[in-house]
Amino acid sequence: MACTAPPSPLPVATLSARRRTTAAVPAYHYPPLSRLSRRSWLPSGNAPRARLRAEASKADPVEESLPAAPVSPASSSEPLPRPHTCTWNWKGYNIRYQYAGTSGPALVLVHGFGANSDHWRKNIPVLAMANRVYAIDLIGYGYSDKPNPRDFEESFYTFETWGEQLNTFCAEVVKGDAFFICNSIGGLVGLQAAVMEPQTCKGIVLLDISLRMLHISKQPWYGKPFIRSFQNLLRNTVVGKLFFNSVATPESVKNILSQCYHDTSAVTDELVQCILQPGLDPGAVDVFLEFICYSGGPLPEDLLPMVKCPVLVAWGEKDPWEPVELGRAYGSFDAVEDFVVLPNVGHCPQDEAPQLVNPLVESFVKLHS
């Protein structure tokens, strides 16, 4: 397993912290965390898929959003741990991951579609103050290998594949159970892994989990043939590569990120390069097209009823891709302990508002460790 330390510490914003009334986190002072507790209002039983959209359209229960956290400097006497970059061999493929921290519970951070472990650069050092933190590049993304999907008889880039990868990573690298901290599509990966091997996952934090609105089951019957035709067009003609080339530019990546970040000042040149650079690797275009044509597989509402560990759902109030009004319905599942709204935050809270996300993760982990 090859590992290297970065030449200099990654830039990390000075973060403040807050505390849930049910858990105390050493080294930080957290004001009370406003939250929506499932114990106070949710009905018993799990919400079936047919009710999910209906749940979101009903009057919402009383809910408080998290107020903006005051900024307070981290302890100057204890420097933030420096992340290390390593390569892990899984089924003959090189998988890149980062880690920091030498003690405490294990956390595995799982990125979303088109991203990689660098999307957690503002979280890894801070969370590693009290935890062992790992951030993985899912196979096909970031600086992990990108095998050609056409080389497999069956679909390769699926949540089952990534769930297996995540569980094996815990067994071989983490060497034990872990908390999964997931953003967007990564939330499906975390849920799938927890369903496949319940003993591996101690708890899950879902940050703006993907609703998968393009899933085939969510399309009208008359639209399904057109969707399949469009997917074939992207996969099997030059149209797909032309489309990829049009979005794999600094300008396009910055425009896309500016759509999903509410605070566009967080869309820096550094962030654009973090997302774009590994997307220019050979094979990235085939993975990109394969996944945007992946309209099957599980939905969050399929997996949540089967999850045995505690789940915290947090949602950016200003997420334009996954509206919080729909996301609230996930709070009705038995496994979901809390639903937290992050004010004035978009689709990627861990990067846009680490001052809100890091304390939330720390409190959840502390409570369940």
Side-chain angles (χ1 to χ4, degrees):
M1 218 181 287
C3 298
T4 60
S8 61
L10 290 173
V12 180
T14 300
L15 303 180
S16 64
R18 318 159 103 154
R19 179 168 58 191
R20 291 172 49 152
T21 55
T22 51
V25 180
Y28 294 105
H29 174 68
Y30 293 2
L33 177 64
S34 298
R35 60 189 175 91
L36 176 64
S37 173
R38 74 174 312 279
R39 297 182 182 89
S40 64
W41 65 271
L42 294 176
S44 60
N46 293 310
R49 183 191 306 176
R51 288 175 49 209
L52 187 59
R53 189 178 291 272
E55 290 268 352
S57 65
K58 294 178 182 178
D60 295 320
V62 177
E63 175 179 323
E64 293 182 69
S65 294
L66 285 171
V71 176
S72 60
S75 172
S76 58
S77 62
E78 191 172 357
L80 292 175
R82 297 176 61 189
H84 297 262
T85 298
C86 292
T87 301
W88 165 58
N89 186 282
W90 180 60
K91 296 187 173 184
Y93 301 112
N94 290 323
I95 304 299
R96 178 244 200 168
Y97 69 94
Q98 302 180 55
Y99 80 94
T102 58
S103 62
L107 280 58
V108 181
L109 316 183
V110 188
H111 62 78
F113 173 63
N116 58 80
S117 58
D118 289 334
H119 212 186
W120 300 97
R121 69 199 185 285
K122 299 177 184 177
N123 317 101
I124 298 171
V126 177
L127 296 175
M129 295 287 286
N131 306 281
R132 293 175 294 126
V133 181
Y134 303 82
I136 189 171
D137 286 4
L138 297 173
I139 190 166
Y141 292 104
Y143 294 97
S144 290
D145 282 350
K146 302 169 178 64
N148 193 322
R150 298 178 185 273
D151 293 341
F152 301 88
E153 293 183 2
E154 299 181 352
S155 297
F156 180 72
Y157 292 105
T158 66
F159 294 114
E160 289 79 10
T161 297
W162 290 315
E164 179 186 356
Q165 178 191 0
L166 187 55
N167 284 330
T168 308
F169 180 80
C170 288
E172 297 184 0
V173 179
V174 179
K175 299 188 182 302
D177 52 19
F179 291 90
F180 298 158
I181 316 300
C182 315
N183 176 229
S184 189
I185 285 295
L188 274 296
V189 176
L191 290 176
Q192 181 68 60
V195 168
M196 293 169 70
E197 294 187 17
Q199 72 279 8
T200 298
C201 185
K202 296 186 68 175
I204 307 176
V205 176
L206 301 175
L207 303 171
D208 292 67
I209 186 172
S210 174
L211 299 167
R212 302 203 68 198
M213 298 305 294
L214 298 180
H215 193 278
I216 194 68
S217 69
K218 296 189 175 183
Q219 308 309 313
W221 65 268
Y222 53 82
K224 293 178 181 180
F226 296 102
I227 292 172
R228 294 191 184 96
S229 297
F230 181 65
Q231 291 172 338
N232 288 331
L233 181 71
L234 289 177
R235 272 199 187 109
N236 302 319
T237 72
V238 70
V239 172
K241 287 182 170 58
L242 291 174
F243 174 63
F244 177 81
N245 290 336
S246 72
V247 299
T249 67
E251 296 78 13
S252 293
V253 171
K254 187 168 187 175
N255 287 337
I256 293 169
L257 291 170
S258 295
Q259 292 174 19
C260 70
Y261 279 57
H262 181 66
D263 178 9
T264 56
S265 68
V267 183
T268 62
D269 291 341
E270 178 198 22
L271 173 62
V272 170
Q273 285 304 308
C274 285
I275 301 299
L276 175 62
Q277 197 59 46
L280 301 177
D281 287 352
V285 58
D286 296 307
V287 178
F288 173 82
L289 295 174
E290 184 72 9
F291 187 76
I292 64 174
C293 293
Y294 177 42
S295 56
L299 295 164
E301 51 265 40
D302 297 325
L303 296 172
L304 278 167
M306 296 186 282
V307 171
K308 306 300 182 185
C309 63
V311 177
L312 169 67
V313 180
W315 218 281
E317 178 189 30
K318 303 295 185 181
D319 188 337
W321 292 352
E322 316 287 353
V324 67
E325 290 77 14
L326 297 179
R328 285 190 181 101
Y330 291 130
S332 63
F333 290 87
D334 281 348
V336 178
E337 293 189 338
D338 298 286
F339 186 97
V340 178
V341 174
L342 305 172
N344 298 315
V345 178
H347 185 63
C348 305
Q350 79 278 10
D351 186 64
E352 184 180 348
Q355 76 278 8
L356 299 181
V357 170
N358 290 336
L360 197 63
V361 171
E362 289 174 322
S363 297
F364 180 80
V365 171
K366 181 71 174 179
L367 180 64
H368 294 289
S369 295

